[in-house]
Amino acid sequence: MKKIVIAGAGAYHFAPAIFEDLFVSWRAPVEVWMVDSDIEMAELSARGAQALARAFGCEARFYYTTQLSKATFSADAVIFCADFLDEEGWKKDVEILEEVGLYKQARLRGGVGGAMQTMRVLDFMTDLATQMSEECPDAPLIICDSGFGGVQLARACECAQRMCGVRTLGLSGVTEQTRKRLALYLDMKEEDLDIECAGLNNFSWVTRLRDRKKDTDLIPRCMKEMQEDSREALSSQYIDWYGAIPAGERVMQYELLGDTEVSPKKTVLLSGVGLADYELRKRNLAMLTVHGPLSPEGAKAWGQIRTSGLSSVRPVEVLRALWGEKDCRVDNLNMPCDGAVEGVAPGRFVECPAVIGKDGVHGIAVELPVELHDLMGQLSLCNVLYAEAASTGSRAALREAMEIDPALAGVDLLYTEGVLSDMMEAQKEKLKRFF
């Protein structure tokens, strides 16, 4: 019986696919630990999953807790799908940066704001990976990223695998999200778009965009329309600079680059999920628990659950492939570069389509404009250095990362270092490795 820990069991974007694959499709004997900061959501998730397991004949044991540290012992796999955004810490970042006139550095991914967010997230991630290396050293860690939260996926993967020695892969839904965005923009049906995205997490680009029905390349049309559309000024700028269409639910690549006249003044946080969505999820889980998925009431509740979230991010399929049970293809896998993405040194985490099977993980080669190669190499090195700094408390690695961070281009480094040092001092209880 496999023991699987789901950290963020109530994660709106990922839980439906995990539940469906575990208890409806796979149905293998499992021991599942549901971990969530919201104890009510953890319990409802466990009870709802139990109702699915009973209905579909899956032998399963369920536990729920708010403490991830209690769950990892002897685990066969850990799926981490929690959006990690410390709103209190983020607000302090914004206040200080606005006070000193660096308001454009209030970002979640790059620059000063991104450095602070990285250190907060990876302090936690280092604790988790260190514990896994001691208590379940052979268990893979699968980190899921919705694109809305505060987890910088590539840095988290670098931290867990490179710094802590835990086999780690990351999953994102950037292709699914980009398909929705561009289908709306091009006034087409989503199912008619054949799309592929690749690059680095949060710095991914459209590498294929075709009309399935007409079998035509849509990239020239999309580029032309964006360059003529005042609403797409940022996309147009990137098309001019790099010859590529930015991927994502919205254009966020600017967070990892230097400021321009058309880049937003500061990051606007969008979760993509409202409080009402979570309350509806809880009610549906309760209905599923009481009635089961085979009754009319329970079937309706399960139908609403399983059709919400990201359908393309399926960590259970990845685990089955790693365990040699069933090969799978992943649209957007964050994995150590094996040559599939040009411009990035081998071993650094990239985001690309991939195949996972008995013989390992293999990226599917993609073609990105040469104008992006050096920049992605630079950003991937930043990810490694920020991961090293956050996981070890190394001020030297932190300075090296800041020196080459494209988001800090044109900003006085000595002044920025002083500002960041003050920000760290103000939140030193969350940055124990530096203090």
Side-chain angles (χ1 to χ4, degrees), residues 46-275:
R47 296 191 184 282
Q50 187 176 49
L52 287 172
R54 286 174 177 170
F56 294 100
C58 174
E59 180 187 348
R61 295 200 296 261
F62 296 91
Y63 304 87
Y64 63 91
T65 179
T66 60
Q67 302 299 315
L68 183 55
S69 59
K70 293 181 179 179
T72 57
F73 184 75
S74 297
D76 291 291
V78 176
I79 301 173
F80 185 91
C81 48
D83 282 337
F84 193 106
L85 179 60
D86 179 347
E87 292 190 14
E88 179 186 359
W90 167 253
K91 287 177 181 178
K92 288 182 179 179
D93 294 347
V94 174
E95 288 173 2
I96 292 177
L97 289 170
E98 288 185 338
E99 185 178 331
V100 299
L102 290 174
Y103 58 88
K104 275 203 171 186
Q105 289 294 315
R107 310 170 177 203
L108 282 179
R109 297 169 180 84
V112 181
M116 280 297 295
Q117 178 66 8
T118 296
M119 289 184 285
R120 284 192 295 262
V121 172
L122 298 197
D123 186 79
F124 173 85
M125 191 61 65
T126 303
D127 288 344
L128 170 60
T130 300
Q131 185 174 358
M132 287 182 64
S133 68
E134 296 170 354
E135 297 182 351
C136 51
D138 296 326
L141 172 62
I142 309 297
I143 307 176
C144 303
D145 172 46
S146 67
F148 294 108
V151 175
Q152 301 109 321
L153 188 53
R155 296 177 187 179
C157 289
E158 293 283 6
C159 170
Q161 179 158 305
R162 187 185 298 268
M163 308 302 166
C164 302
V166 174
R167 186 179 186 185
T168 306
L169 294 170
L171 297 174
S172 87
V174 67
T175 293
E176 180 179 345
Q177 293 167 325
T178 308
R179 180 184 289 109
K180 290 180 180 179
R181 169 179 143 233
L182 294 185
L184 182 64
Y185 187 75
L186 297 171
D187 193 23
M188 294 179 63
K189 294 180 179 179
E190 289 182 39
E191 58 267 28
D192 291 339
L193 284 184
D194 174 20
I195 184 170
E196 176 185 81
C197 302
L200 305 177
N201 184 246
N202 297 315
F203 200 73
S204 199
W205 305 84
V206 176
T207 54
R208 184 177 69 243
L209 183 65
R210 298 189 66 84
D211 185 326
R212 292 183 188 274
K213 286 186 173 181
K214 299 179 181 178
D215 192 27
T216 56
D217 184 1
L218 291 169
I219 286 181
R221 172 194 162 188
C222 190
M223 284 184 170
K224 182 176 184 295
E225 291 187 12
M226 285 181 167
Q227 288 176 305
E228 295 173 351
D229 188 343
S230 60
R231 300 168 301 173
E232 291 288 341
L234 200 52
S235 295
S236 177
Q237 185 174 75
Y238 294 151
I239 290 169
D240 286 339
W241 288 358
Y242 309 124
I245 299 167
E249 189 272 341
R250 58 198 188 281
V251 181
M252 295 295 292
Q253 286 79 353
Y254 72 88
E255 279 213 327
L256 295 170
L257 299 172
D259 295 329
T260 69
E261 291 182 0
V262 298
S263 60
K265 291 184 177 180
K266 65 179 179 181
T267 293
V268 177
L269 299 184
L270 297 172
S271 71
V273 183
L275 182 60

Side-chain angles (χ1 to χ4, degrees), residues 356-433:
I356 306 173
K358 293 180 181 179
D359 58 345
V361 179
H362 302 284
I364 298 173
V366 296
E367 290 188 18
L368 284 162
V370 68
E371 291 85 352
L372 283 167
H373 291 182
D374 287 345
L375 185 54
M376 288 195 300
Q378 185 178 352
L379 284 168
S380 67
L381 179 56
C382 275
N383 290 336
V384 172
L385 291 170
Y386 276 124
E388 179 185 351
S391 61
T392 64
S394 169
R395 302 261 179 172
L398 181 58
R399 179 182 172 83
E400 285 185 64
M402 294 175 69
E403 285 178 345
I404 64 169
D405 190 339
L408 290 171
V411 181
D412 184 87
L413 184 59
L414 286 176
Y415 178 65
T416 306
E417 278 190 298
V419 172
L420 182 58
S421 180
D422 291 342
M423 294 169 70
M424 293 169 66
E425 183 70 33
Q427 299 185 50
K428 62 182 180 182
E429 73 281 358
K430 301 175 183 178
L431 307 173
K432 57 181 178 292
R433 286 174 173 81

Side-chain angles (χ1 to χ4, degrees), residues 310-374:
L310 292 168
S311 63
S312 62
V313 180
R314 312 198 81 92
V316 174
E317 289 189 356
V318 172
L319 291 178
R320 293 183 67 185
L322 291 176
W323 291 331
E325 296 185 13
K326 179 185 177 183
D327 293 358
C328 76
R329 187 188 189 281
V330 182
D331 285 342
N332 298 110
L333 186 69
N334 281 256
M335 56 173 283
C337 186
D338 62 357
V341 178
E342 292 185 81
V344 179
R348 295 180 192 166
F349 274 80
V350 294
E351 184 170 85
C352 62
V355 175
I356 306 173
K358 293 180 181 179
D359 58 345
V361 179
H362 302 284
I364 298 173
V366 296
E367 290 188 18
L368 284 162
V370 68
E371 291 85 352
L372 283 167
H373 291 182
D374 287 345

